[in-house]
Structure formats: structure tokens, C-alpha cells
């Protein structure tokens, strides 16, 4: 895989991961071009397209597009499932993940991705093992109640803004949260 | 604080992110960001030492700002500090920042590498993984230098934790991809292969990516992986879905690992060991069988994972291309997918079937799906799927179905998406030619193509139909009749007029017996289109007319009258005017015999690779076309491959010239005629139009005897003139990796090319650089020839073209990288595409680096791209000239220089130089006949700049002097041109 991009339906880039060396200028150009191309496609169209000499594999989850660029001999369908597995990992970690989780905890999204994919290749495909690695890392933290961390997944608030440590009365965030369906809602029906 | 997210809540960060999200406008966002940047800067600079948490928080904010798309130029040091924190989250954020924002700041790299080294030796698996992730994410050469030998040790050490092994394997893969020379094979390689047997599936999954990449480069060293991979695959394929626990994905056992195993096997030929091969065939059969079983889940993930393995298995079957049974089964399976309700599967099936079509075992099986594929072309709603269907039709085409497929593609063309039309046109043209049994069908098809999609018919296509008609006398009469009928249409495409003009000019006599297409009717039909056509087509038609005079003496009077009328003989376009004058003269002076010799029928073209095929290949990249070279065109494919691979030997050079426009090819269409031989010269540049796409680099400047189409633009410089001129510089450049400063004589070298486009730019004892260039409007193409004058190869040969300073915005120069090796005595070629955005003064720089006997050679030249290259000559009358001269009377619009003559004042030399400048040299304008007056328009992307020039020699004075005056609609241009020209005379 050469790179992975996450962007919203409005074209805002939420996460970018590059596995080939490119200048910032090139990255911006590629991002702009691809976001435009992918957003212009209709829902029932196929998830693959040829772009320059690469193959683009993308899929939409709720308001977010996940888009990977792979090389000619790479497998499109398995890449589609790489995307899905990543969504599952995010979902399991955040508990019903939505776009806001990725905005407010972007660093976590990167850490999870690094455990799953490294250098553009699948490193660990077991969901349990990836999450174990992340949980272990979380456990290494100081001055935090260990017990709470371990079971945080069950006890956390449903409000992503609050999870991120934001103010509950922050109207804007709540407003958006209502309108951002959890990605996982789509996970179930697929 | 129960509401904090997992990990570390950074409240300040969350507040900042919500602030940004609350911003109503871009400006507000930028304002908020600048405020934050100022705050962070002051915190970092402040006297109070920051605690780890604050540092982490601020670094994280910077990262967020960067990811929003803003530039970050500080904070790197703080991030590096975090690396050595003993708190995990701080270290983690530090590494993340470094991974995302790394730049090759050498001092920092040293510090970063130190921190990584500490973590790698910490024996704490979590820290080790972090360090390995960072190396894998950055993957820079500096890191490869520091760690390429350390990581293999970690990877194969007996006591390394599984998770660390996984990271180490992929980290090494990344380093190997960026710096293969630094990752040395050794004792560890055999142990890496055995990771395929590892108990931990995750370790196998990670290691196999590394093994696959290494096998591609060193197949022999990793041969043992084949049997290991087969047994691993066999165990997975035969396992129940519950056996592999968490590595089972939606009831499919280890799909990622299976795909990677099948992929690894594609690096090798079929196993020789019968037992291994048997086991593998069994696996492949099981995979094909499973595709027929009812799904274990309705979820799309289940079917995707299952089919991912299936497609990978089919790729392997195609790769082996030796098991007819499996190939046919694969084809049938794909056939089912062609009608699947999932668009993704239809797309992949079409794509995969394309490669199946090239196997002799499955070609027939693929053909049985023709109706489904045609239907897909007509009904698929997604253009990318239709494109695949068109590709497949092209791939499955052979003699038996060519007529049907070509007809379907033609009818699809009428409604095809614009994005794929050009490619479709090329494909139709190729199929029509390749499978033409009767050539009347071929002619019909191409003319239909021009009728339906004339705009997308490239020159190659109509050149090709003419080449074929000329070479096959059985089709000439039919072609003449058909094209005559096609021209009857009230609106016909200009390409049709071109083909019509050419064919009737050659073979109009074959249909002249019919009173409905008598010579005069033919002429009038052609001439009725004349006024609607562009200059090159008109020029072609004029040549057709003179051919008519030879074919049908009865049309002579009519045609002479046409040639004689003012709109021809005084045409403002120099090429048209010249043709009219010369043809008129030729027709009235020459005897019938001479005329018949001069205007003889075109000799057959030498058989050569279809230029269209080359074009399609160029469009799609290598491999795309070779699929179709099934039976009869093996030879052609060989040639093509030779053409694509630009070897240093001359044969390959010639081949590459044939597949890309050759250096002598004529960008300007008609203007700089490149006669190929005396016999052909006679036909005038009509012939050259056709030849220009394939004319070998040879005698581009052999001047024609009769002087008809003497090339005004081009100085007589031959393409093999690489052995003339050249500066005496011979010293090797300073051994630095940075581009050397331009040579002291770079400006001088540049000046040599102001008035000419071809020649030797530079020469020393090692290297010679020749240039050929062509310009049209604001575009140019430059061919650089690098010749190795020594008998030793140049290694790491690389060239870089750069536009320093403001030139970057003024000129766009694109180049393709060159082959890194130049053998002794060989020459390589590089093509540059140049676009003039706006007027400019500086020249782009060309830096050349290579190793000669170990020493780095590094030199920088100025590329002779000067503003005058974008001149279009403008003809005008004396009164027009003076009127415009007066209009450009503002003082800054004029630039004047009086200077001593550096060269002789020979009239012909001066004229040649002024013409070489690109302007039109106007006669009878200046009252003083000694003076020279020129006019031209500089074409840039954004605007046109009119320029008038006057050069007044004073030969009488003791010291010969010139006065040069320029008036341009843009003041900077006047100045620049004046500077450039003052050096020339």
C-alpha cells in the first residue's frame, strides 16, 4: 500500500498515512485530487478505480471515506477488508466510533493504525492482538486509575465530545455529534 | 475525571480542537491557529522549564495544526526531547511527531537516531516497537545507514518477542525498499525464510511481506520458501474456520496470510518437486471448490475475504499458465462473476479475464463470454467498469470475432465517455488493422472512426490508414471511392479531409472514369472544404492539387487559377504562400515528363511497427498491449519491447525513435520538412507529413536538390552533429552531492542557441551533450542526448532540470528520469517538455551527475530555453509595420543597444540568424535596404506579446557597428530580447 487517507463527506482530511516518501507539496496535490475524484463518485459505483499508475480502493463508512492507494499487483478485495478491519479496530477501541472520535483523538487513530499496518503491509490481523497491544500501552500510563483504564470501554460516556475531555455544554460539538452517526451503525448492517 | 478518553486526556488539546471546529471562517481559523502558535512558541522559548506533560500537549497541538494543512517550522527539538522521556505516552507523541513531520535536518537526525538506538536496546518490547514503527514510518536513508544491520539481528534473535519480530520484519522491508544497497543479505536470510513456519500467525503474516519482496530481487537465495509456503497454505486452506481462532475473519481462515502466500508463490515458476506441486494444485482446487459452496455468512466481508483469496489463486494459475484444467475452471468462475450483482466483483472479473485471454489454454474459454462482455459495455452504469469491459473485448479479439467486436466498439464510441474515447479509437484502429482479412473492411472501419469520433482520432491513426492504402494496391481504388463518398457529407471532420486529400491526390485517377467522380468533380469537392480547414490541412490540400495537375492535365487551368488567386499566392501564412507560389511555378515551367517524375506516385512505406500500437502502449504503459500479442503478432511485440527499453546501443535507439516521436519528428506539422530521400522529396511535404512520425533521426537537414521546400526555420544542423563544436572545458566538477554552480561559460553556451535549436550544448573529455528542440506556440519539446565519450560506463547517471527563483512560476519544464547507466561510447536520450507560462529572463538549469571511475562528476549548465523560442513569425505590410511601430511608442516599450560587430556582416548569415530567432524577416519595409526589420508574436500561456525589431548595420564606419532597436508590448521582453540579441551579431 502506498498511502491511506481518511476524509469526510465535506472533503476534510481526517487522517493521512504515507508509506512512500513524497514532498508535502505532492501529498497535498494527491490529496486534493483524490478527495475530489472519490467524492464525485456515486454510491453504487465500484469501490476500485485506476488513478495514475495506482489502484484506488475506497469505502464510505457513515460520513467518512477510507481510501487506500495500492500497487498494480496488490489485491483489491483484501484491501477493502483491511479498511474494514481498521474500522472494526477503531470501533472496538472507542466503542461505537464516530468521526468526532477520530478528530479529537487523532493520535490514537494513528497508534492503532501503526499496530495494524506497518510500512504499508498488514502487521497483525488479529483484532484481539492489536487491541491488546494498544491496551498494554495505555496501561503503561502513570497517575491514572488502572482499573478504570482496563474496563474503560464499558464505562465510558456515549458522548464522544465528553470522551475527548471536552465540555458537555459545548453546544457545537453535541450538535455535530447528533448528526454524525457512529461508523459502527454501518458496521452492523453490512 | 471519569469522562476522559482512554489513554491520556489532554484537555488543552481538546479545547483547542473544539475552538478550531467552532471557527466560522477560514480567516478565523487561521487567526486562532496563529494565536496558538505564538503561545506555544513563547512557552518553548520561556525561561521556565516545561514539564513533560505540557511539552507533550504542545507538540501534539503542533501536530494537529500541521495535519490541518499548515506549515510548522519549530517544535522539532521539543519532540526529540520527548523521545527520551521515560513516560510512555510522552515518548509515543514524540515519535508520532517525528514520523509525521520528519525532515532531513542532519543534527536532529543524529539525536533521533540516538533515541531510537536507546529504545532498541532497552529490551522493553513496547519501547522497541515504538522505535521500529518510527523507523518504518520515516524510512529515510540516514535511518537505513544507522539501523540496517541491527534490525535483522533483532528479527532472528531467539529471545525476541513476537510483536517485536513483526515490527522488525516490516521495518526491514521498508528500509529494503528505500535503500536496498544498505540491507545486506547474510546468515539471517535463511532464518527469515523459516519464519514461515512460525507458530505465531502474526509473525508469519508480517514476515511473509518481507520474504516476498526479498525473493523478487534474490529469487535463488530464497528458493526454499516455495515448499514452506505451500505447506503453510495447505494447512490454512484445509483448516476449519474455527481452527485459527482470531485469525479467522468472517468464517474465512487467515485471508490476509493466504493472499500473501499466493502472492509469494507468484515470484517463482511452478514447483519442480512433484509432491509439492501436487499439494499446491490441491490447494488451488480447494479454493476453486470453496467458491462454489454456499456462503457461510451473508456479510459482504465474508464474500470479499473469500474472493480475495480466489482472485489471488487465479492470478497464480495465470502466472503458471501450465494447468489447462485450472485455467478453464478459473475462467468459468470469473464468467459467473461477470453477472454477479456486486459491481466490485464484475469489475475484478473483467480485469482478471483480460489476463486469462492471453493464455492459449483459456483464450477460447474467455471468448465464450463475449455476449456478456458486450452487454457490460452497453449497460454498466460505472464508467470504470465499462472501461474494463472495453479492455477485455480488446484482449479477447481474434480473427474469428474481430468484425463483431470492432462493430460493437464503434457503436459504443458514439456514446462513450469522453475520458476513454481516445483510447477506444486507438484500440479500434489497431484491431481493424491487425485482423483485417479484406482491406476494404479496414478502410471502412477507419473512415467510420473518423466520422464518429474525428476529434479523438490522433495523427497516428490517419497516418496509418494512408500507409496501408499506399502499400496495398488491391485496396486503393476502393479507398478512393469510399473517401470520395465520405467527403460528400455536408459536414465532415477535418481528419476526413486530410485522408481524402491525400488519397485522391494519389489515387483519384482510379475512380476518375466514372462521370460522377470525374477529375473536376473530385477537385471541386476537395476545394469546397478548403476554406474550413486549418493551415496544415490546407497545405496538404495544395499538395493534392499539384498532384491532380499531374494526374489529370485537364484540371491544370482550373487549379492554376486557384493557386494564382490572391488568397493563395499572397497568403499571410508563409508555408501556404510558398506552396502556392512554388506549385504554380512548377506546373507552368516543368514539362509533363518532369512533372510526372516529380509528382510520381508515392513509393510503398517500409514495413514497420504500427505507430498506433506504439501510441497505445505509451498511453497504457508496458504490459497493457503485450496481452494482445497472441499469435500472429509475436514479432511485433518483440519489436515493441525493444522499443520501450532504451538500451544504449544504436539499434535500440532507432527502435525507441520509432515508438516515440523521433527527435527529427516534426512538432510543427509541416514546417520543418525532413526529406527522407530525393525521390520522396519530390512529393513535397505532403509526404513528410506522413513520414514525420517515424522518420529516423538521420538526415533531417539534407537539403533538397530542387530547393522547393527549403526549410527556412531550421539552420542546417544535422542530428548527428554531436561531434562538432563544444567547449574546451574538461576538468571534472567538484565532488559534491549538491548541484554544482553553473559553469562559468554557461551563459556563453546559452547564447549559441539563441538563434538555433539544434547542436552541441556542451562537451568535455568525458561527456557530450547534444540538443534538438522544437517549439510550437507556448510549448516546446527538447531532446537531450548525453554521449559517453569514454570507454568506461558512467554509473548513477542522473540529471535534474530546475527553474531557479521566479522562473519557477514562469516556465514549466517536465522531464523523465534517464537510465542510471551509460555504457562507454553509448548515448542516451532524454525528452523535456516545456511550457511557457509567462515571459521570463533566466534560463532553466540542467544539473548532471554521474560517477566516472568512482569519482563523482557534477556539472550544471543553462538550458538554452530563451524567450524568443516562443515566437510566432508575423508577416505584415510596410504600412502595418509602421503603424504598429508607432503604437509601441512608450519609452519603456523600446529597448535599444548600439554595439560593435563580433561577427562578419554577411547578409545571408544575418538573415539566417534573424530567421533562427523565430521572427518573420520582412522585406521592403525599411526605406534603407541595408536594414533588417522583423516582426513576431511571443506566445505564452497567459498572453501574446507582439514584438518588432529593427537592426541597422553600419558597415562603413571604421569599426563595424550595429544599432538594434526592439519594441514590444511588454517592456521586460524588449529588454531581454535586446540583451540576448546584442550577443549574436
Amino acid at each position: 500500500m502506498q498511502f491511506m487517507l481518511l476524509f469526510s463527506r465535506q472533503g476534510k482530511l481526517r487522517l493521512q498515512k504515507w508509506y512512500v516518501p513524497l514532498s508535502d507539496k505532492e501529498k497535498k496535490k494527491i490529496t486534493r485530487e483524490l478527495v475530489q475524484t472519490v467524492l464525485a463518485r456515486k454510491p453504487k459505483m465500484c469501490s476500485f478505480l485506476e488513478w495514475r499508475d495506482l489502484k484506488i480502493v475506497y469505502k464510505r463508512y457513515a460520513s467518512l471515506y477510507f481510501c487506500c492507494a495500492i500497487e498494480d499487483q496488490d489485491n483489491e478485495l483484501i484491501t477493502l477488508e483491511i479498511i474494514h478491519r481498521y474500522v472494526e479496530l477503531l470501533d472496538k477501541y472507542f466503542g461505537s466510533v464516530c468521526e468526532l472520535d477520530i478528530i479529537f483523538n487523532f493520535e490514537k487513530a494513528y497508534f492503532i493504525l501503526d499496530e495494524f499496518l506497518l510500512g504499508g503491509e498488514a502487521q497483525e490481523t488479529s483484532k484481539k492482538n492489536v487491541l491488546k497491544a494498544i491496551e498494554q500501552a495505555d496501561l503503561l500510563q502513570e497517575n491514572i486509575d488502572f482499573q478504570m483504564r482496563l474496563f474503560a470501554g464499558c464505562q465510558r460516556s456515549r458522548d464522544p465530545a465528553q470522551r475527548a475531555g471536552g465540555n458537555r455544554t459545548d453546544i457545537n460539538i453535541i450538535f455535530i455529534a447528533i448528526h454524525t452517526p457512529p461508523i459502527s451503525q454501518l458496521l452492523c448492517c453490512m | 475525571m471519569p469522562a476522559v478518553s482512554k489513554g491520556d486526556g489532554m484537555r488543552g488539546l481538546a479545547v483547542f480542537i473544539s475552538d478550531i471546529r467552532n471557527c466560522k471562517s477560514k480567516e478565523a481559523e487561521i487567526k486562532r491557529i496563529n494565536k496558538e502558535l505564538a503561545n506555544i512558541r513563547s512557552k518553548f522559548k520561556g525561561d521556565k522549564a516545561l514539564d513533560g506533560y505540557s511539552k507533550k500537549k504542545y507538540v501534539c497541538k503542533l501536530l494537529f495544526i500541521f495535519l490541518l494543512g499548515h506549515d510548522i517550522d519549530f517544535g522539532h527539538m521539543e519532540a526529540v526531547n520527548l523521545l527520551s522521556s521515560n513516560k510512555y505516552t510522552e515518548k509515543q507523541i514524540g515519535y508520532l511527531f517525528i514520523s509525521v513531520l520528519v525532515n532531513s535536518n542532519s543534527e536532529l537526525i543524529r539525536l533521533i537516531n540516538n533515541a531510537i538506538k536507546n529504545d532498541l536496546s532497552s529490551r522493553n518490547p513496547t519501547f522497541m516497537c515504538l522505535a521500529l514503527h518510527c523507523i518504518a514510518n520515516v524510512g529515510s536513508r540516514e535511518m537505513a545507514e544507522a539501523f540496517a544491520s541491527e534490525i535483522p539481528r533483532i528479527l532472528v534473535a531467539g529471545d525476541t518477542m513476537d510483536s517485536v519480530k513483526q515490527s522488525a520484519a516490516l521495518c526491514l522491508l521498508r528500509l529494503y525498499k528505500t535503500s536496498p544497497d544498505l540491507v545486506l543479505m547474510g546468515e539471517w536470510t535463511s532464518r527469515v525464510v523459516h519464519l514461515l513456519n512460525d507458530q505465531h500467525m502474526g509473525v508469519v503474516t508480517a514476515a511473509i511481506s518481507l520474504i516476498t519482496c526479498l525473493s523478487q530481487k534474490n529469487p535463488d537465495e530464497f528458493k526454499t520458501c516455495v515448499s514452506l509456503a505451500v505447506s503453510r497454505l495447505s494447512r490454512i486452506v484445509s483448516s476449519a474456520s474455527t481452527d485459527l481462532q482470531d485469525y479467522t475473519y468472517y468464517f474465512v481462515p487467515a485471508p490476509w496470510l493466504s493472499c500473501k502466500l499466493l502472492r509469494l508463490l507468484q515470484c517463482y515458476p511452478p514447483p519442480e518437486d512433484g509432491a509439492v506441486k501436487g499439494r499446491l494444485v490441491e490447494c488451488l482446487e480447494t479454493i476453486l471448490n470453496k467458491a462454489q459452496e454456499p456462503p457461510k455468512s451473508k456479510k459482504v466481508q465474508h464474500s470479499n475475504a473469500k474472493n480475495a483469496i480466489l482472485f489471488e489463486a487465479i492470478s497464480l494459475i495465470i502466472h503458471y499458465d501450465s494447468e489447462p484444467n485450472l485455467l478453464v475452471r478459473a475462467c468459468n468462475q470469473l464468467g459467473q462473476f461477470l453477472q454477479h450483482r456486486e459491481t466490485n466483483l464484475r469489475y475484478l472479473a473483467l480485469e482478471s479475464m483480460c489476463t486469462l485471454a492471453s493464455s492459449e489454454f483459456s483464450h477460447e474459454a474467455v471468448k465464450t463470454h463475449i455476449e456478456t462482455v458486450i452487454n457490460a459495455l452497453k449497460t454498466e452504469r460505472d464508467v470504470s467498469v465499462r472501461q474494463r469491459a472495453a479492455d477485455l473485448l480488446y484482449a479477447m479479439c481474434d480473427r474469428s470475432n474481430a468484425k463483431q467486436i470492432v462493430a460493437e466498439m464503434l457503436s459504443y464510441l458514439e456514446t462513450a465517455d469522453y475520458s476513454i474515447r481516445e483510447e477506444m479509437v486507438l484500440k479500434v484502429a489497431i484491431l481493424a488493422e491487425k485482423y483485417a482479412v479484406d482491406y476494404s473492411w479496414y478502410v471502412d472501419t477507419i473512415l467510420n472512426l473518423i466520422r464518429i469520433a474525428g476529434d479523438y482520432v490522433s495523427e497516428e491513426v490517419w497516418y496509418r490508414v494512408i500507409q496501408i492504402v499506399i502499400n496495398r494496391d488491391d485496396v486503393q481504388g476502393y479507398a478512393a471511392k469510399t473517401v470520395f463518398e465520405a467527403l460528400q457529407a455536408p459536414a465532415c471532420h477535418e481528419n476526413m479531409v486530410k485522408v481524402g486529400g491525400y488519397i485522391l491526390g494519389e489515387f483519384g485517377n482510379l475512380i476518375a472514369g466514372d462521370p460522377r467522380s470525374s477529375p473536376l468533380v473530385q477537385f471541386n469537392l476537395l476545394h469546397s472544404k478548403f476554406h474550413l480547414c486549418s493551415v496544415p490541412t490546407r497545405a496538404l490540400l495544395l499538395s493534392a492539387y499539384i498532384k491532380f495537375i499531374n494526374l489529370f492535365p485537364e484540371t491544370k487551368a482550373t487549379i492554376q487559377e486557384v493557386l494564382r488567386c490572391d488568397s493563395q499566392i499572397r497568403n499571410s501564412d508563409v508555408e501556404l504562400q510558398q506552396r502556392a507560389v512554388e506549385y504554380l511555378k512548377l506546373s507552368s515551367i516543368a514539362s509533363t515528363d518532369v512533372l510526372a517524375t516529380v509528382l510520381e506516385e508515392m513509393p510503398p512505406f517500409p514495413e514497420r511497427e504500427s505507430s498506433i500500437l506504439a501510441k497505445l502502449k505509451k498511453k497504457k504503459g508496458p504490459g497493457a498491449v503485450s496481452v494482445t500479442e497472441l499469435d500472429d503478432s509475436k514479432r511485433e511485440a518483440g519489436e515493441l519491447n525493444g522499443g520501450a527499453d532504451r538500451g544504449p546501443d544504436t539499434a535500440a535507439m532507432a527502435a525507441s525513435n520509432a515508438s516515440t516521436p523521433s527527435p527529427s519528428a516534426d512538432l510543427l506539422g509541416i514546417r520543418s520538412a525532413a526529406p527522407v530521400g530525393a525521390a520522396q522529396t519530390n512529393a513535397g511535404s505532403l509526404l513528410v507529413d506522413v513520414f514525420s512520425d517515424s522518420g529516423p533521426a538521420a538526415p533531417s537537414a539534407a537539403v533538397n536538390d530542387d530547393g522547393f521546400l527549403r526549410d527556412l526555420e531550421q539552420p542546417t544542423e544535422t542530428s548527428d552533429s554531436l561531434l562538432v563544436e563544444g567547449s574546451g572545458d574538461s576538468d571534472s566538477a567538484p565532488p559534491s552531492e549538491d548541484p554544482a554552480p553553473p559553469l562559468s561559460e554557461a551563459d556563453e553556451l546559452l547564447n549559441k542557441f539563441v538563434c538555433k535549436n539544434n547542436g552541441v550544448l556542451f562537451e568535455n573529455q568525458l561527456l557530450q551533450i547534444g540538443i534538438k528542440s522544437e517549439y510550437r506556440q507556448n510549448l516546446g519539446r527538447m531532446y537531450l542526448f548525453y554521449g559517453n565519450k569514454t570507454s568506461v560506463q558512467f554509473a548513477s547517471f542522473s540529471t535534474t532540470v530546475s527553474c531557479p527563483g521566479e522562473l519557477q512560476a514562469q516556465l514549466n519544464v517536465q522531464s523523465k528520469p534517464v537510465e542510471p547507466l551509460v555504457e562507454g561510447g553509448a548515448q542516451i536520450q532524454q525528452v523535456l517538455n516545456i511550457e511557457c507560462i509567462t515571459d521570463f529572463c533566466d534560463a532553466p538549469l540542467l544539473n548532471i551527475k554521474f560517477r566516472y571511475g568512482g569519482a563523482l562528476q557534477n556539472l550544471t549548465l543553462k538550458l538554452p530555453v530563451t524567450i524568443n523560442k516562443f515566437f510566432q513569425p508575423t508577416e505584415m505590410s510596410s504600412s502595418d509595420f509602421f503603424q504598429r511601430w508607432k503604437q509601441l511608442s512608450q519609452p519603456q516599450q523600446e529597448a535599444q543597444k548600439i554595439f560593435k560587430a563580433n561577427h562578419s556582416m554577411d547578409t545571408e548569415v544575418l538573415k539566417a540568424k534573424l530567421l533562427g530567432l523565430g521572427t518573420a524577416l520582412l522585406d521592403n519595409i525599411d526605406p534603407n535596404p541595408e536594414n533588417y526589420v522583423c516582426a513576431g508574436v511571443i506566445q505564452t500561456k497567459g498572453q501574446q506579446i507582439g514584438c518588432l525589431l529593427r537592426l541597422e548595420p553600419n558597415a562603413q564606419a571604421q569599426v563595424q557597428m550595429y544599432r538594434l532597436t526592439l519594441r514590444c508590448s511588454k517592456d521586460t521582453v524588449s529588454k531581454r530580447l535586446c540583451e540576448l540579441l546584442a550577443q549574436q551579431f
Side-chain angles (χ1 to χ4, degrees), chain A residues 57-84:
Chain A
V57 177
Y58 72 93
K59 185 155 180 159
R60 185 178 148 183
Y61 288 87
S63 58
L64 264 190
Y65 283 85
F66 291 69
C67 175
C68 299
I70 56 173
E71 279 149 74
D72 192 43
Q73 70 281 34
D74 291 339
N75 190 313
E76 290 98 337
L77 284 174
I78 209 73
T79 310
L80 214 46
E81 293 320 298
I82 281 190
I83 293 177
H84 188 76

Side-chain angles (χ1 to χ4, degrees), chain A residues 1 12-14 16-21 24-25 27-28 41 44-50 55 59 61 71 73-82 84-85 88 92-94 99-100 103-108 110-111 114-119 121-129 133-138 140-144 148-150 152-153 155-157 162-167 170 172-173 176 187-190, chain B residues 1-8 10-11 13-15 17-18 21-22 29 56 60 63-64 66-67 69-71 86-89 92-93 96 99-100 124 126-127 129 132-133 136-137 163 166-168 170-171 173-174 177-178 200-203 205-206 209 216 246-250 255-256 259-260 263 299-301 303-305 307-309 311-312 343-345 347-348 351 381-385 387-388 391 620 808:
Chain A
M1 189 186 295
K12 287 231 184 225
L13 192 59
R14 297 300 182 206
Q16 45 176 321
K17 190 80 190 177
W18 305 85
Y19 298 112
V20 284
D24 285 346
K25 209 174 134 193
K27 287 179 187 171
K28 280 186 182 164
R41 291 177 62 88
K44 283 282 164 195
M45 284 186 162
C46 94
S47 310
F48 319 124
L49 55 131
E50 283 184 330
K55 299 193 285 197
K59 185 155 180 159
Y61 288 87
E71 279 149 74
Q73 70 281 34
D74 291 339
N75 190 313
E76 290 98 337
L77 284 174
I78 209 73
T79 310
L80 214 46
E81 293 320 298
I82 281 190
H84 188 76
R85 171 86 337 153
E88 284 184 348
K92 191 87 183 167
Y93 181 80
F94 288 108
E99 196 182 336
L100 281 179
I103 298 173
F104 280 94
N105 301 288
F106 67 95
E107 76 284 7
K108 289 288 174 206
Y110 277 98
F111 297 147
D114 270 354
E115 289 294 336
F116 174 44
L117 294 179
L118 194 59
E121 298 282 340
Q123 173 176 223
E124 176 55 85
T125 59
S126 153
K127 194 154 63 176
K128 238 184 252 162
N129 288 353
I134 296 283
E135 298 276 349
Q136 262 173 5
D138 281 344
L140 281 172
Q141 283 175 100
E142 305 78 3
N143 62 38
I144 291 175
M148 255 209 68
R149 301 267 110 226
L150 260 180
Q155 296 178 3
R156 278 178 318 127
S157 155
Q162 242 193 27
R163 279 183 235 155
N167 190 335
D170 184 335
N172 188 25
I173 292 183
I176 292 170
L187 275 180
C188 329
C189 58
M190 267 181 311
Chain B
M1 209 166 80
V4 160
S5 83
K6 268 190 191 180
D8 49 324
M10 282 180 279
R11 202 181 144 74
L13 176 68
V15 170
I17 295 176
S18 357
R21 289 178 54 77
N22 283 334
E29 185 186 308
K56 175 182 79 173
C60 212
L63 190 56
F64 181 78
F66 177 79
L67 291 170
H70 302 268
D71 290 333
N86 51 12
K87 293 192 181 168
Y88 179 76
T89 50
Q92 202 182 20
I93 294 290
L96 180 61
S99 306
V100 175
N124 174 338
T126 324
F127 285 7
C129 280
L132 289 168
H133 291 178
N137 281 328
S163 61
Q166 288 168 275
S167 299
L170 292 174
C171 184
L173 170 63
R174 176 74 199 261
K177 279 185 182 165
T178 38
H200 191 284
M201 294 278 276
V203 172
T205 308
S209 297
Q216 281 165 342
D246 210 34
Y247 289 92
T248 293
Y249 179 81
Y250 291 87
W256 283 280
C259 283
K260 286 186 179 192
R263 177 91 198 88
K299 291 238 164 83
V300 71
Q301 282 75 29
S303 80
N304 277 352
N307 291 328
I309 300 174
F311 275 105
E312 208 58 64
T343 315
N344 288 347
L345 281 181
Y347 176 96
L348 293 175
E351 185 180 62
R381 272 187 290 173
D382 184 347
V383 57
S384 39
V385 186
Q387 166 95 58
R388 289 284 86 83
D391 286 351
K620 295 286 279 187
Q808 206 168 6

Side-chain angles (χ1 to χ4, degrees), chain B residues 385-457:
Chain B
V385 186
R386 290 197 295 272
Q387 166 95 58
R388 289 284 86 83
D391 286 351
L392 178 53
L393 279 181
Y394 178 75
M396 66 162 68
C397 190
D398 61 16
R399 268 185 218 298
S400 70
N401 56 18
K403 285 201 175 172
Q404 184 189 6
I405 286 179
V406 167
E408 290 295 348
M409 285 174 105
L410 265 178
S411 78
Y412 172 61
L413 250 181
E414 306 212 33
T415 54
D417 311 74
Y418 293 109
S419 55
I420 63 174
R421 275 197 190 182
E422 191 186 347
E423 199 184 311
M424 290 284 292
V425 166
L426 287 174
K427 286 184 167 162
V428 170
I430 291 167
L431 293 179
E433 178 185 339
K434 199 155 125 190
Y435 300 114
V437 187
D438 82 76
Y439 276 84
S440 51
W441 173 71
Y442 170 74
V443 170
D444 284 341
T445 304
I446 300 295
L447 292 185
N448 262 331
L449 205 55
I450 296 177
R451 200 174 45 75
I452 294 169
D455 283 343
Y456 297 87
V457 173

Side-chain angles (χ1 to χ4, degrees), chain B residues 437-499:
Chain B
V437 187
D438 82 76
Y439 276 84
S440 51
W441 173 71
Y442 170 74
V443 170
D444 284 341
T445 304
I446 300 295
L447 292 185
N448 262 331
L449 205 55
I450 296 177
R451 200 174 45 75
I452 294 169
D455 283 343
Y456 297 87
V457 173
S458 58
E459 299 203 310
E460 285 85 353
V461 173
W462 76 262
Y463 290 172
R464 189 66 186 158
V465 68
I466 283 172
Q467 287 172 2
I468 285 175
V469 170
I470 301 261
N471 288 9
R472 304 201 60 99
D473 39 20
D474 51 335
V475 75
Q476 289 161 356
Y478 181 78
K481 179 168 160 285
T482 323
V483 81
F484 177 78
E485 279 161 9
L487 284 174
Q488 309 263 347
C492 62
H493 195 273
E494 190 162 334
N495 279 335
M496 187 72 87
V497 180
K498 287 181 181 160
V499 177

